Amino acid sequence: MPAPVYIIGDNIITPLGTTTEENFEAISNGVSGIRRHTNNPIGDFYASVLDKGMFLPGESLTHLESLFIRSIQQACQSAGIDATDSDNLYIFSSTKGNIELLQKQANLSASIHLDQMAKAVTTHLRYAGTPLIVSNACISGVQAIGLAYTLLQQGKYKRAIVTGGDLFSFFVLAGFYSLQAISPFPCTPFDKKRAGISLGEGCGTIILTREPNPTSIQITTVASSNDANHISGPSRTGDGLALAIQSVLQTAGKEPKTIQFVNAHGTGTIYNDEMESLAFQRCGLAQIPVNSLKGYIGHTLGAAGIIETILTARSLQRNQLLTSAGFQETGTSVPLPVITENHTGNYTCALKTASGFGGGNAVLLLEKQVSS
Amino acid sequence: MDLFVTKYCRLSSKGINTHKGVVNLPLNDMVYDPQALYTLLQLSYPKFFKMDTLCKYGILAGECLFEGNPLSYTSSEIGIILSGQHGSLDTDEQFQTTLETDNFFPSPALFVYTLSNIVMGELCIRHKIKGENLFTVSATPDYDLLCQYTTALFLQKRINACLVGWVDYYQKQPDILLVWVETTSDINALLFNHNTLTSLYI
């Protein structure tokens, strides 16, 4: 098995705060960034949207690019590393990038292209190399971490700076609205009343290295799979997600019962949450405590996998489980022990899952090193 | 570890080439008409008609490569590693036009194609590919990344076969290279490396 990689720095920017700490504190106090908004012609909807004051004014940079820069700089600071270092590998994760530029019709800016967006950010940071970009719908964030994990094994780079971001856009709102997938109230993952997603926006940056670091959380292994079933709906049986979970457990040599909690994708749609419950059952995880963080920060698309992985790592570090906002009553055919109360204990091992449009699934295993 | 390209398909404005040779197109500009190619290749895959253009080209290239033969591997041991530059921008632009306030009528059938990786999902459905999958974006094909990442997955024994390539379409220009990577070679196989991919992407 390849060597684990270690998290040596991170940052999260959402409406709940501009650092990982602020976000973790808010969520552990049950604070949600999801608010009611109104739009013509869609009407009322709920979403977790950043305050415009959170965007740093930057010449010729888009809002999203300025968010990436801020998040990367803060993560580098937390890891005590230099963003310009040629030993860094940059990996971006985004589904729609600067999609709002399409509304401006005339003179489509080069930044509409994800490669140009990423380049604008790394150029501003004075990094000379070429960033890589993962764009694989809702699993992009977990996959970007997986790509970093694999490329770090080859020893060409000292560390990987993996950053994921997507903004709330009318484009995506209208799209999910057309699919009738927007929840009429703040999303309630795994709950009986759940009725769709709440969109969110934000950015997360995680810095990984292969150099063992005894106090860091490690990412032991990452795997992905595809349902090969439907492009816009999850498999009805959960078999695709189960393949990726089994791949991770097998590679890491872990029994399902040794996993202490699962941070699920948990979008709050009828089909996603049902599919996840079936997949967890298939893999012997139906008894393992589970949460979704989307009731606090909404679905942040290309940032979701990274933000949620960071918060899960922080849970292990602080020995504190985060609750799953909006859950009251089992609403999946396999009842899952959804976390509804703050727990503290000795937590050393958690699983993070993601599933998305195009049939993709991605899973990673996080572990705290136990000092021998 | 030596890996081999045992089949491939290159589809671009210049025409279609595969490991079997040049696909003869009766009309020069036929390559710009996915529907005509569908008929020419005698496909029978009704899902094709609901797809956006990028996906249609991806499926057509896949058909030329596999020629309707089922893949001789278990679904979960087949990977798919694809890249492109424009992603779904062509479809994004079409969807954007349905969002004008005075004529607001977003189509869910269009929206589900506004993601770079949907072409990968369609290829997975068509050829029953359930293993490791990744979609990356770059300005031009990044052969080093495609080769390094794919080889690492083989070495980790996560996959035993992989569909690798570049799938791009924007402003009427299809630009596709799909290669089928396996561990065993036949007489016509090419080594799977940067040079082979460069020579096939012409």
Side-chain angles (χ1 to χ4, degrees):
Chain A
M1 184 179 98
V5 297
Y6 304 87
I7 304 172
I8 54 165
D10 54 52
N11 166 268
I12 297 171
I13 301 174
T14 73
L16 299 178
T18 57
T19 64
T20 301
E21 279 313 305
E22 285 175 8
N23 276 275
F24 193 91
E25 280 306 312
I27 291 171
S28 59
N29 290 321
V31 180
S32 168
I34 299 175
R35 301 274 179 277
R36 192 171 72 180
H37 299 268
T38 296
N39 165 285
N40 173 31
I42 283 173
D44 285 0
F45 64 93
Y46 287 85
S48 169
V49 179
L50 290 164
D51 218 29
K52 290 295 171 263
M54 284 198 175
F55 299 111
L56 300 181
E59 281 171 51
S60 77
L61 289 169
T62 66
H63 273 178
L64 181 59
E65 288 157 8
S66 77
L67 206 59
F68 273 126
I69 289 164
R70 186 173 177 178
S71 182
I72 291 166
Q73 283 173 333
Q74 296 221 357
C76 286
Q77 208 176 346
S78 78
I81 62 157
D82 179 355
T84 65
D85 198 330
S86 61
D87 283 336
N88 297 336
L89 164 69
Y90 274 90
I91 302 181
F92 283 72
S93 160
S94 188
T95 63
K96 298 312 303 171
N98 291 314
I99 192 69
E100 73 278 6
L101 294 174
L102 267 192
Q103 289 175 35
K104 304 196 169 114
Q105 300 287 343
N107 301 331
L108 200 50
S109 154
S111 266
I112 190 74
H113 304 298
L114 289 177
D115 60 289
Q116 299 283 343
M117 173 201 79
K119 200 76 191 150
V121 172
T122 52
T123 302
H124 184 92
L125 293 165
R126 298 199 177 84
Y127 168 79
T130 304
L132 304 180
I133 302 134
V134 173
S135 189
N136 199 358
C138 316
I139 70 167
S140 301
V142 176
Q143 282 233 295
I145 294 171
L147 180 61
Y149 173 91
T150 298
L151 296 179
L152 281 172
Q153 305 295 333
Q154 299 167 349
K156 198 169 141 192
Y157 296 96
K158 248 198 186 132
R159 64 192 79 83
I161 297 170
V162 188
T163 186
D166 265 306
L167 294 186
F168 171 82
S169 64
F170 181 57
F171 185 102
V172 174
L173 175 71
F176 280 108
Y177 170 81
S178 77
L179 288 169
Q180 299 178 349
I182 301 281
S183 177
F185 41 81
C187 70
T188 56
F190 299 110
D191 186 68
K192 199 170 182 172
K193 291 197 315 291
R194 72 183 184 276
I197 67 168
S198 299
L199 286 166
E201 63 183 347
C203 188
T205 304
I206 191 166
I207 302 181
L208 304 168
T209 176
R210 266 186 71 191
E211 288 163 37
N213 190 320
T215 57
S216 298
I217 300 297
Q218 72 177 48
I219 291 170
T220 312
T221 183
V222 190
S224 71
S225 66
N226 196 288
D227 291 347
N229 171 62
H230 197 284
I231 56 160
S232 57
S235 122
R236 292 294 170 96
T237 61
D239 62 329
L241 175 57
L243 275 175
I245 295 173
Q246 280 153 353
S247 175
V248 161
L249 294 177
Q250 212 174 346
T251 308
K254 288 272 174 201
E255 287 293 322
K257 62 177 183 294
T258 64
I259 304 294
Q260 288 168 295
F261 70 100
V262 179
N263 172 241
H265 190 54
T267 56
T269 66
I270 299 281
Y271 294 123
N272 173 82
D273 298 5
E274 175 67 8
M275 179 280 288
E276 286 197 282
S277 78
L278 293 168
F280 296 160
Q281 184 182 46
R282 264 175 188 249
C283 298
L285 296 168
Q287 310 300 319
I288 307 295
V290 60
N291 67 5
S292 160
L293 300 174
K294 292 191 171 64
Y296 299 105
I297 55 171
H299 193 339
T300 53
L301 307 176
I306 294 172
I307 292 175
E308 293 164 16
T309 295
I310 295 168
L311 290 166
T312 302
R314 200 53 57 109
S315 277
L316 291 175
Q317 224 153 14
R318 296 181 45 161
N319 282 318
Q320 186 188 339
L321 295 189
L322 294 170
T323 62
S324 200
F327 178 80
Q328 285 177 313
E329 197 182 344
T330 290
T332 51
S333 55
V334 177
L336 298 173
V338 179
I339 303 164
T340 53
E341 283 172 20
N342 284 320
H343 288 276
T344 52
N346 182 21
Y347 299 109
T348 57
C349 179
L351 209 58
K352 165 72 194 136
T353 74
S355 302
F357 274 29
N361 306 284
V363 178
L364 56 79
L365 178 71
L366 291 144
E367 287 184 276
K368 183 161 65 187
Q369 303 157 79
V370 184
S371 48
S372 45
Chain B
M1 174 179 213
D2 277 348
L3 295 170
F4 301 92
V5 172
T6 54
K7 298 178 167 75
Y8 67 85
C9 174
R10 170 73 176 128
L11 188 160
S12 72
S13 52
K14 295 178 191 141
I16 308 176
N17 279 311
T18 77
H19 52 285
K20 295 245 172 113
V22 176
V23 176
N24 187 15
L25 303 180
L27 299 167
N28 266 347
D29 57 357
M30 201 175 201
V31 81
Y32 296 108
D33 185 352
Q35 232 88 317
L37 292 174
Y38 178 95
T39 308
L40 177 79
L41 298 167
Q42 298 181 324
L43 291 192
S44 166
Y45 192 57
K47 275 199 181 94
F48 179 87
F49 298 99
K50 71 171 178 71
M51 295 179 194
D52 76 345
T53 315
L54 172 64
C55 291
K56 281 180 176 151
Y57 278 119
I59 289 290
L60 288 166
E63 294 310 308
C64 292
L65 189 149
F66 293 119
E67 301 173 289
N69 298 317
L71 316 189
S72 51
Y73 293 88
T74 312
S75 288
S76 59
E77 62 178 353
I78 309 170
I80 181 164
I81 313 293
L82 301 178
S83 288
Q85 186 200 359
H86 297 95
S88 58
L89 187 57
D90 185 77
T91 304
D92 291 354
E93 288 175 353
Q94 290 176 52
F95 186 70
Q96 184 67 42
T97 62
T98 70
L99 304 185
E100 308 308 323
T101 315
D102 45 5
N103 192 15
F104 180 72
F105 198 75
S107 150
L110 209 50
F111 177 66
V112 297
Y113 284 95
T114 61
L115 288 160
S116 321
N117 60 302
I118 298 299
V119 59
M120 188 165 75
E122 291 288 14
L123 281 162
C124 286
I125 293 168
R126 176 72 181 118
H127 300 291
K128 300 186 174 60
I129 297 172
K130 291 192 173 187
E132 287 284 340
N133 59 106
L134 178 73
F135 197 98
T136 62
V137 172
S138 52
T140 55
D142 184 344
Y143 303 123
D144 285 334
L145 173 67
L146 291 173
C147 291
Q148 274 173 23
Y149 187 69
T150 305
T151 305
L153 293 180
F154 272 96
L155 283 170
Q156 291 173 30
K157 301 211 171 5
R158 288 175 181 266
I159 54 174
N160 292 318
C162 196
L163 189 62
V164 179
W166 175 259
V167 282
D168 199 68
Y169 171 79
Y170 187 56
Q171 292 181 336
K172 304 221 171 343
Q173 295 301 313
D175 184 19
I176 296 187
L177 171 65
L178 290 179
V179 303
W180 179 235
V181 182
E182 298 179 274
T183 53
T184 51
S185 63
D186 62 25
I187 194 113
N188 301 315
L190 305 156
L191 268 178
F192 173 63
N193 58 26
H194 189 293
N195 288 353
T196 296
L197 295 181
T198 311
S199 66
L200 295 179
Y201 183 76
I202 44 170

